[in-house]
Amino acid sequence: MSPEMIAIVSVGVALAGIILTGQRAIRTEQAAQRQEIATLRKDIGEEIAALRERMAHLEGPLEGLREAITRERAA
């Protein structure tokens, strides 16, 4: 094998190692971000459920107030 061929193969092997290492790091970061997003979605879902519950508590008194003001029952 000529020295040029050895140099070409060595550069190819080195580049392959760098690329594979970089891809592994990216995959690890993406997995962590997916986990963080899943946690945030769960938290947002719980917050929305709490807001729905609070709104439901307010709807009853608002209906009564509407009926008292307009003297008509809501449909």
Side-chain angles (χ1 to χ4, degrees):
M1 234 189 211
S2 68
E4 292 88 10
M5 184 60 79
I6 293 172
I8 292 170
V9 171
S10 299
V11 169
V13 169
L15 286 174
I18 291 170
I19 290 170
L20 291 176
T21 302
Q23 286 180 342
R24 183 179 303 127
I26 289 171
R27 272 191 243 117
T28 303
E29 288 176 17
Q30 284 179 339
Q33 288 176 348
R34 282 190 195 113
Q35 182 63 35
E36 184 179 347
I37 288 170
T39 303
L40 290 173
R41 286 183 71 181
K42 181 182 174 195
D43 292 345
I44 289 171
E46 291 171 357
E47 290 291 327
I48 289 173
L51 287 173
R52 282 186 184 145
E53 188 174 322
R54 288 172 56 190
M55 284 177 55
H57 287 296
L58 292 174
E59 285 177 350
L62 286 177
E63 289 296 323
L65 181 60
R66 182 182 300 137
E67 289 174 11
I69 291 172
T70 62
R71 298 180 194 268
E72 294 179 8
R73 293 196 59 85

